[in-house]
Amino acid sequence: MHARARRDMTPAAMVLAALLLVSAAAPLCSGCPTAKQTAENNPRLQKAYVALQALKHAITDDPKNLTAGWCGPDVCAYFGVFCATALDDPCAVTVAGVDLNHGNLAGGLPEELGLLSDLALLHLNSNRFGGTLPESLPKLGLLHELDISNNRLAGGFPQHILCLPKVKYVDIRFNNFCGPVPPAIFDKKIDALFLNDNHFDFELPENFGNSTASVIVLANLQLKGCLPSSLGRMGKTLNELIVLNSGVRSCIPPEIGHLGKLTVLDLSFNQLQGMLPGSIAWMHSLEQLDVAHNSLFGHIPDGICELPHLMNFTYSYNYFCVEPHRCLDLRRNDDRQNCIAGRPDQRPADQCLAFLHRPAPVQCDAHGCIAPPAGHY
């Protein structure tokens, strides 16, 4: 994975976490009771106590003893629990964040988590939680960030995520979720969406382009169909698009050139066919472009290697026959195993001729899909 897509906490998450800490440290309103608030005198913290104790008892292995101190009514002192002033009551303290990332915790996620109704952050990545997400998840109406990545969660796509009205960051990668992904996820006002490294099997819907995300990672999945032309509608928001090793059998739609803010585009290890669209030369923010290990052919459009910020262009293991000399001046360039005359480590000539003279030339329909049936290649 790219370094940006691999981060554990986004800048938005860090800002939100800082706000939680500042809010927790700030004094309550002058007219509020001055006694320390715990589960014994605060109903919100009492609910949080029930939820956190249920989570503690659902954990079957805690090798780092992260929850060993989860005892007593002062839940705000629990490791990984962050409290703040309630949004709807300036005199009330509430649990606003739970962060148990990298705990190597094993167990399940209890239904009582729904009692944490003021929760803004739920970070449980890099543990060994199994089972499914609790049915009570929609009760977390203030949840902004959900990170349950790198666990052992299973079942279908967690549909309850669609019921979270405030969620902006969804990271469910590296689990065992399977089946289709509902098109409605691309209609939510989400800033980052990580679905990669699951067993999802679905077709990118036409409303894919409705997403407001700045980062979308769909790597190591089982995608069907084509790259929809609607992806060009994400030009004002999308910074990184990674569709690596997901079985996409498609042409690259020319509308991709409208992604003017995109810095990372990785479409490698798929079944992409046709030619590289010249419209990619419009993507003036592009820094990394990887289309390696596909069946693309023809010439590399002149303008791509003249992009002002492009540092890494990988197009090895295709059937390109012409590359602009400017491409060789990039900081990182990989043109191996193509059909480019005069360049080292290219495909054998007979292999190139066989591909370029195959009986059914690749054609793309108006949506970017490959027109001929599968058996004709």
Side-chain angles (χ1 to χ4, degrees), residues 318-336:
N318 281 287
Y319 293 88
F320 293 114
C321 56
V322 178
E323 64 183 344
H325 189 271
R326 175 71 180 86
C327 293
L328 304 181
D329 296 330
L330 293 172
R331 182 180 301 178
R332 294 184 61 188
N333 165 274
D334 188 351
D335 64 359
R336 294 172 297 149

Side-chain angles (χ1 to χ4, degrees), residues 18-35:
L19 289 175
L20 289 174
L21 293 172
V22 169
S23 177
L28 299 176
C29 294
S30 57
C32 299
T34 57

Side-chain angles (χ1 to χ4, degrees), residues 90-350:
C91 289
V93 171
T94 190
V95 172
V98 174
D99 186 344
L100 296 173
N101 285 350
H102 303 283
N104 198 23
L105 300 165
L109 300 176
E111 288 296 323
E112 288 86 349
L113 286 180
L115 295 172
L116 298 172
S117 56
D118 294 321
L119 206 64
L121 297 173
L122 181 58
H123 287 180
L124 300 175
N125 82 49
S126 303
N127 287 291
R128 290 176 286 144
F129 288 114
T132 60
L133 289 182
E135 295 289 324
S136 61
L137 190 68
K139 295 181 180 179
L140 306 183
L142 299 179
L143 194 67
H144 278 70
E145 302 206 1
L146 176 65
D147 185 354
I148 52 172
S149 61
N150 196 21
N151 278 286
R152 299 175 181 177
L153 297 165
F157 179 88
Q159 296 278 347
H160 295 317
I161 292 175
L162 303 176
C163 303
L164 298 172
K166 303 289 187 180
V167 70
K168 298 296 182 185
Y169 181 89
V170 175
D171 191 347
I172 62 174
R173 57 187 157 166
F174 290 101
N175 277 289
N176 295 311
F177 295 119
C178 62
V181 170
I185 193 65
F186 301 111
D187 289 325
K188 287 190 70 66
K189 304 301 181 184
I190 289 175
D191 179 61
L193 182 61
F194 297 89
L195 302 179
N196 54 289
D197 294 273
N198 280 286
H199 304 295
F200 291 129
D201 183 353
F202 69 107
E203 181 174 342
L204 289 177
E206 184 58 29
N207 72 320
F208 179 62
N210 293 351
S211 177
T212 59
S214 62
V215 179
I216 298 178
V217 183
L218 303 173
N220 302 315
L221 302 176
Q222 301 174 51
L223 297 180
K224 304 173 183 175
C226 61
L227 292 172
S229 58
S230 68
L231 62 79
R233 297 203 297 263
M234 296 185 281
K236 293 183 178 180
T237 56
L238 192 60
N239 297 133
E240 300 181 26
L241 177 61
I242 301 174
V243 191
L244 159 70
N245 189 36
S246 290
V248 175
R249 188 172 180 275
S250 170
C251 296
I252 302 177
E255 289 83 359
I256 202 167
H258 296 301
L259 299 178
K261 291 189 175 182
L262 203 69
T263 60
V264 175
L265 176 61
D266 191 339
L267 303 176
S268 60
F269 290 89
N270 283 295
Q271 300 176 50
L272 297 176
Q273 311 220 10
M275 301 180 71
L276 206 57
S279 61
I280 292 178
W282 307 344
M283 301 166 68
H284 288 257
S285 298
L286 203 59
E287 299 173 9
Q288 299 182 47
L289 174 60
D290 193 340
V291 293
H293 291 269
N294 282 291
S295 295
L296 300 167
F297 65 93
H299 67 280
I300 303 292
D302 292 339
I304 293 180
C305 293
E306 296 177 0
L307 288 169
H309 302 290
L310 188 64
M311 295 182 291
N312 184 350
F313 184 16
T314 303
Y315 47 100
S316 53
Y317 292 89
N318 281 287
Y319 293 88
F320 293 114
C321 56
V322 178
E323 64 183 344
H325 189 271
R326 175 71 180 86
C327 293
L328 304 181
D329 296 330
L330 293 172
R331 182 180 301 178
R332 294 184 61 188
N333 165 274
D334 188 351
D335 64 359
R336 294 172 297 149
Q337 292 297 301
N338 278 287
C339 301
I340 304 171
R343 290 293 296 161
D345 195 10
Q346 298 296 299
R347 294 180 184 273
D350 57 345

